[in-house]
Each structure stands twice: as C-alpha cells, then as structure tokens.
Amino acid sequence: MFAMVNGLQIYGQQAIQAARYIGQGFMVTLDHMNRLPMTIQYPYEKLIPSERFRGRIHFEFDKCIACEVCVRVCPINLPVVDWELRESVRKKQLKNYSIDFAVCIFCGNCVEYCPTNCLSMTEEYELSTYDRHELNYDQIALGRLPISVVQDPTTQPVSSLNYLSKGVMEGHPDSRSVTNL
C-alpha cells in the first residue's frame, strides 16, 4: 500500500514538472507572437551595412607604389602584384594588381596596412557567381565603386533591426529559467 502511495506521489510531482515545462514553452511562444516579423524581403529590401563592414576591396591604381605590403600581411598571400623596376627613376612601376575573392577571407589586413591607402573596403557583399573564376578581379574590376545601398533606386534600405523587441536585441535575461526550476 505504501509503495502505491509513493508511486502516486512521484507521478504527481512529474506531472506538475511537465506542466511547468509546457507553461514555460507557452510563455516563449506568447513572447514571440508579440514581436514584429524579422523577415527582410531581400531583393527589394536590403540592410544598410555597418560603418566598419568588410565587403569587397576597392583599389586605386594611381596611388599604389607596388610595395607589396598587402601581400606580406595577407594570411594567405592573396593579392597578386606585378611590377617592373624603372631604371631611369629607380622606382617600381605597377603593371598589374589582382585579388581572387573566391579565396579571400575579408580580414582587412591589406587595407589596414597599406601605406598609401590605395585599398579600401566597400559595402558590396553580393559577390555570388556561377563560375568561381569570375571572382578573380583585376585592377579594372577592383577600381569600380559599387552602388551604395542607400543610393540604389531599385531597393528600399532598412537601417537596422531596431524595430525588434528589447528582449531580442539584448538577449533574454531569464534564459536559464527554462532548465532551472
């Protein structure tokens, strides 16, 4: 008889604990129902990248002195710098500069350590192609400035995800309460 009462007591405790877990799950569901949607309709709406966003690299051919600092600081020795030495002026003359964005890790070291600031990061992030060889940009392709998201007439810029509720942006302070009762 005592074993049956003890079994019912354990069963009751487990049922109460299961009801708490279900209640906590419903609270999370209700919290998410009160939020605005986070979906961005991508081709028509684009997020404005942050100020320090590391997108495609822009190159200014006239400023480059062919010092190859960008190649030395690159973790994968990616930029290809072709130059020839001009004997008359005893300076390097840049012939060709290229970066393969299929291999680039967008670390920004080349931009940071360039002594003449001929390299800069743009906010262009749409580099997808069907052929990876199209991602090998020469100095002409690197010299083109992309259209800014704000200036693009075909899209509506979304400044940030500020319209989300406070709990989403800062995290949930009571996130441990789901597992700890």
Side-chain angles (χ1 to χ4, degrees):
M1 180 76 173
F2 182 69
M4 186 173 88
V5 172
N6 193 15
L8 284 174
Q9 186 180 10
I10 292 173
Y11 174 75
Q13 289 173 351
Q14 289 176 347
I16 291 171
Q17 189 168 1
R20 284 184 186 161
Y21 286 144
I22 291 172
Q24 288 175 353
F26 281 140
M27 292 303 291
V28 171
T29 302
L30 290 174
D31 183 39
H32 283 275
M33 286 178 62
N34 291 333
R35 296 182 186 167
L36 294 174
M38 290 191 278
T39 306
I40 302 292
Q41 301 298 323
Y42 170 64
Y44 309 109
E45 294 179 348
K46 293 182 184 176
L47 287 175
I48 298 173
S50 65
E51 184 178 325
R52 295 181 50 92
F53 180 75
R54 295 186 296 204
R56 183 182 64 84
I57 296 171
H58 173 69
F59 175 70
E60 296 181 34
F61 187 82
D62 297 333
K63 287 184 177 181
C64 184
I65 58 173
C67 64
E68 295 188 18
V69 170
C70 55
V71 179
R72 284 179 282 194
V73 298
C74 181
I76 51 179
N77 297 331
L78 184 62
V80 177
V81 180
D82 293 333
W83 54 271
E84 63 183 19
L85 184 64
R86 297 286 174 134
E87 292 294 331
S88 60
V89 289
R90 299 194 47 84
K91 282 189 172 181
K92 294 179 184 178
Q93 178 68 38
L94 183 66
K95 290 171 44 179
N96 191 9
Y97 188 90
S98 65
I99 296 177
D100 188 3
F101 286 113
V103 183
C104 182
I105 59 173
F106 298 95
C107 64
N109 286 346
C110 57
V111 174
E112 185 175 343
Y113 291 105
C114 182
T116 59
N117 293 330
C118 64
L119 295 172
S120 61
M121 294 291 218
T122 64
E123 58 183 32
E124 182 180 0
Y125 54 88
E126 299 168 322
L127 296 175
S128 60
T129 61
Y130 288 107
D131 184 18
R132 66 178 160 184
H133 300 293
E134 293 176 13
L135 292 172
N136 192 358
Y137 282 38
D138 62 350
Q139 71 259 14
I140 297 169
L142 286 170
R144 289 190 207 112
L145 281 172
I147 297 174
S148 175
V149 174
V150 178
Q151 297 171 349
D152 190 3
T154 62
T155 62
Q156 176 184 2
V158 177
S159 61
S160 66
L161 297 178
N162 289 337
Y163 58 86
L164 297 177
S165 66
K166 194 173 191 178
V168 175
M169 297 301 283
E170 297 174 1
H172 294 287
D174 57 344
S175 61
R176 293 188 202 128
S177 65
V178 174
T179 55
N180 298 336
L181 290 176

